[in-house]
Amino acid sequence: MFREARQNRIFQDVVEQIQEAILKGTLKAGHKLPPERQLRDMFKTSRGTLREALRVLEQKGLITIKTGVSGGSIVNAVTHRQVSESLALLIQYQRVSLRDLAEFREGVEGIVAGLAAKRANKKDIEQLRALLSEAKACLDEGASRWDAFIRIDNEIHLALARIAGNPVYESILQTIYNNIHLYFDRFLPREERILKQNYRDLRKIVIAVEEGKTAEAHSLVQDHVGRFNRLMEKNQKEKTD
Amino acid sequence: MFREARQNRIFQDVVEQIQEAILKGTLKAGHKLPPERQLRDMFKTSRGTLREALRVLEQKGLITIKTGVSGGSIVNAVTHRQVSESLALLIQYQRVSLRDLAEFREGVEGIVAGLAAKRANKKDIEQLRALLSEAKACLDEGASRWDAFIRIDNEIHLALARIAGNPVYESILQTIYNNIHLYFDRFLPREERILKQNYRDLRKIVIAVEEGKTAEAHSLVQDHVGRFNRLMEKNQKEKTD
DNA sequence: AATATAGTAATGGTTAAACCATTCTAAAGC
DNA sequence: GCTTTAGAATGGTTTAACCATTACTATATT
């Protein structure tokens, strides 16, 4: 299955071989790698070195490691993986300001909405409609479901990214949404008036996508994201004053 | 300097502590961590576990490890680091098509150019002008410097991203340019006519930025990137036919 | 029979001590 | 003064053992 390891840094060679196998599709998502002690023999190396290699692969997001019997290293799907630690780190440690993120989202999500309007098929529309009615339901149930509403709101944005059909946009926005909740939790005002406004925005957006109106979808999303961002920014100012 | 390690996965705890110190600025870029054997004592763990932690930090791009006396783990700068392996992996293994990347660049670089035109100061303009005359020089020296010309072309694009003043756009575009050369090398036709056209594009773009014409900068860059992409795509088709 | 409980084995996580490989520095020799 | 060589400091690797977690199975209890 694998070559014997060579090179200065043996673990690096092991990483490359396994990565190669995963990315070339020899090892498919969901497959389980042999146990560490067996891999050690296959690569003719020591367990410590092999574990350093697995650590790197885990950090790259290529495998997930579980303990216990029937645990082990499981191959992750290559697509849809987070575009990365690094962007996540930048966001988490706020080297990137809320304003920066907001500006980015306004620009990029506008483009994505335009593409989505151009490319949505019948099934995509159905998904958007389903999310929309979930959102409505949350809103009707009152304050207890507001967090669920916000989650669905995000899902609609990510659905648009998927529908846009470009994995670059999709993975980047996914990374951003995976981390932006840090800001949402702190600065997003939970008021019915605001959430209802959001719902009306989303509804208009879905309709524009459904009717294939690219320019309208673009500007609607831009406005929606922009309004959202200004709200958070105002809230941020008030909290830090 | 550090707490003693705890948690299920000890190396994870070590990673977090060192990462915290780096991102909070306690450990500054260029600083050297103590040798492994000393860190092992500080964290009251074993060298193997400690090395797994260092491997993770290295993979995250937070430290660089060198062998030999006066080697060791050196802290990297947090900013301007690659937005990541993952996007890089997607590009390198061509899970992302040239078409996807092209579409992304057309959209995003257009936005960035608009922002740059709005925000460029005198010094920024000087930098752009300098790059532009370097590019001209390469072009005049003929075919031997064409690769240098392409490099400078990329630098101008990245300069615009920096001038736009949003680290999110900047790091993402940097990651893309760090990897896209794989496509350039294969599919970019080296013809004087094309490079000259590129130079004229760049010149117009710099002038638009200089004069603060945001909309013009936006559409010029979009056209420039678009033309470039169509060329590569045509070349890709011919080569794979 | 259904359900708890305890045992068992497979797997990753950790430790320890030694040795190897690389690289800088300083002493030795010319 | 230059070159060569020896030493030491550092990361890289190996080995062998033990610990911790978890799924499954056999047993005991109801």
Side-chain angles (χ1 to χ4, degrees):
Chain A
M1 184 168 186
F2 293 121
R3 279 190 294 108
E4 185 176 330
R6 50 162 179 71
Q7 262 205 350
N8 281 354
R9 304 220 287 184
I10 295 176
F11 76 86
Q12 196 52 260
D13 188 55
V14 175
V15 166
E16 277 159 27
Q17 286 193 55
I18 298 179
Q19 176 172 309
E20 191 80 4
I22 294 174
L23 294 171
K24 294 284 186 202
T26 315
L27 283 171
K28 294 207 167 52
H31 283 191
K32 195 149 69 177
L33 292 181
E36 291 183 355
R37 290 158 179 85
Q38 203 172 321
L39 282 172
R40 171 199 60 190
D41 297 337
M42 294 165 78
F43 285 110
K44 294 215 171 69
T45 178
S46 70
R47 214 178 139 211
T49 299
L50 179 87
R51 280 173 59 80
E52 289 190 28
L54 292 180
R55 208 75 315 130
V56 171
L57 291 166
E58 185 186 37
Q59 180 57 36
K60 285 191 182 195
L62 291 172
I63 62 173
T64 300
I65 301 177
K66 279 187 193 164
T67 62
V69 57
S70 86
S73 305
I74 293 143
V75 177
N76 293 333
V78 176
T79 45
H80 283 206
R81 205 153 19 84
Q82 279 201 9
V83 170
S84 117
E85 270 298 305
S86 299
L87 182 57
L89 284 178
L90 285 176
I91 295 175
Q92 281 169 32
Y93 283 85
Q94 310 194 5
R95 299 283 167 132
V96 166
S97 68
L98 182 54
R99 180 183 294 269
D100 291 329
L101 266 182
E103 182 176 88
F104 181 83
R105 286 183 59 212
E106 269 186 64
V108 167
E109 295 208 37
I111 296 176
V112 162
L115 292 173
K118 203 180 296 177
R119 294 172 185 168
N121 60 31
K122 206 179 149 196
K123 216 170 159 188
D124 296 330
I125 302 293
E126 276 170 26
Q127 191 201 358
L128 287 175
R129 288 240 163 246
L131 285 169
L132 205 57
S133 46
E134 269 191 74
K136 181 83 168 69
C138 287
L139 214 51
D140 290 342
E141 287 180 43
S144 64
R145 299 298 304 281
W146 285 356
D147 280 334
F149 174 82
I150 292 168
R151 192 178 46 71
I152 294 167
D153 184 336
N154 289 352
E155 272 179 42
I156 292 176
H157 286 261
L158 287 175
L160 290 174
R162 186 190 56 72
I163 294 167
N166 187 325
V168 184
Y169 281 119
E170 191 180 359
S171 6
I172 288 174
L173 284 178
Q174 228 162 37
T175 302
I176 287 182
Y177 275 100
N178 280 344
N179 294 285
I180 204 172
H181 68 88
L182 291 169
Y183 284 107
F184 285 177
D185 291 347
R186 288 175 63 197
F187 302 126
L188 185 63
R190 261 77 170 173
E191 293 170 31
E192 191 167 13
R193 182 181 56 81
I194 289 167
L195 297 185
K196 282 197 168 162
Q197 169 73 57
N198 260 12
Y199 175 73
R200 280 196 299 277
D201 285 356
L202 292 174
R203 193 158 172 283
K204 279 191 218 159
I205 290 165
V206 171
I207 290 171
V209 170
E210 195 169 345
E211 296 176 348
K213 295 179 176 167
T214 61
E216 194 177 334
H218 186 130
S219 69
L220 279 173
V221 166
Q222 213 163 38
D223 293 347
H224 169 66
V225 173
R227 183 178 310 120
F228 201 75
N229 286 332
R230 279 191 298 280
L231 265 172
M232 285 215 293
E233 208 163 315
K234 193 172 149 231
N235 214 253
Q236 185 181 30
K237 273 212 189 81
E238 284 168 8
K239 285 204 178 176
T240 48
D241 279 350
Chain B
M1 185 167 184
F2 293 120
R3 279 190 293 108
E4 186 176 329
R6 50 163 179 71
Q7 261 206 348
N8 281 356
R9 302 222 287 184
I10 295 176
F11 77 85
Q12 197 53 260
D13 188 55
V14 175
V15 166
E16 278 158 26
Q17 286 193 56
I18 297 179
Q19 176 172 308
E20 190 79 5
I22 293 174
L23 293 171
K24 294 283 185 205
T26 314
L27 282 171
K28 294 207 167 53
H31 282 192
K32 194 149 69 178
L33 293 180
E36 291 182 357
R37 290 159 179 85
Q38 204 171 322
L39 282 171
R40 171 199 60 190
D41 296 337
M42 294 166 78
F43 285 110
K44 293 216 170 66
T45 179
S46 69
R47 212 175 141 215
T49 300
L50 179 87
R51 281 174 59 81
E52 290 191 27
L54 292 180
R55 208 78 309 135
V56 171
L57 290 166
E58 185 187 36
Q59 181 56 37
K60 285 192 182 194
L62 291 172
I63 61 172
T64 300
I65 301 177
K66 280 187 194 164
T67 62
V69 58
S70 86
S73 305
I74 294 144
V75 177
N76 293 334
V78 176
T79 45
H80 280 208
R81 203 154 20 86
Q82 278 201 10
V83 170
S84 119
E85 270 299 308
S86 299
L87 182 56
L89 284 177
L90 285 176
I91 295 176
Q92 281 169 31
Y93 284 83
Q94 309 194 7
R95 299 284 166 130
V96 167
S97 68
L98 183 53
R99 180 184 295 270
D100 292 328
L101 267 182
E103 182 176 87
F104 182 84
R105 286 183 59 212
E106 269 187 64
V108 167
E109 295 207 39
I111 296 176
V112 162
L115 293 173
K118 203 181 294 177
R119 294 173 184 167
N121 61 31
K122 207 179 149 196
K123 215 170 160 187
D124 296 329
I125 303 292
E126 277 170 25
Q127 192 203 356
L128 288 175
R129 287 240 163 246
L131 285 169
L132 205 57
S133 46
E134 268 191 74
K136 182 83 168 69
C138 287
L139 215 51
D140 290 344
E141 288 180 41
S144 63
R145 300 296 305 281
W146 285 357
D147 280 334
F149 175 82
I150 291 167
R151 193 178 44 72
I152 293 168
D153 185 335
N154 288 352
E155 272 179 41
I156 292 176
H157 286 261
L158 288 175
L160 290 174
R162 187 190 55 73
I163 294 168
N166 187 325
V168 184
Y169 282 118
E170 191 180 357
S171 6
I172 288 173
L173 285 178
Q174 228 164 39
T175 303
I176 288 182
Y177 275 100
N178 281 343
N179 293 284
I180 205 173
H181 67 88
L182 291 170
Y183 284 106
F184 285 178
D185 291 348
R186 288 176 62 197
F187 301 125
L188 185 63
R190 262 79 171 172
E191 293 170 30
E192 190 167 16
R193 182 180 57 80
I194 288 167
L195 298 185
K196 282 198 167 161
Q197 169 73 58
N198 260 12
Y199 174 72
R200 281 196 299 276
D201 285 356
L202 292 174
R203 194 159 171 283
K204 279 191 216 157
I205 290 166
V206 170
I207 290 171
V209 170
E210 194 168 346
E211 296 176 349
K213 295 180 177 166
T214 61
E216 195 177 332
H218 186 129
S219 69
L220 279 172
V221 166
Q222 214 163 39
D223 292 348
H224 169 66
V225 173
R227 183 177 312 120
F228 201 76
N229 286 333
R230 278 191 298 280
L231 265 172
M232 285 216 293
E233 208 162 316
K234 194 173 148 230
N235 214 253
Q236 184 182 30
K237 273 211 190 82
E238 284 168 8
K239 285 204 178 176
T240 48
D241 278 350

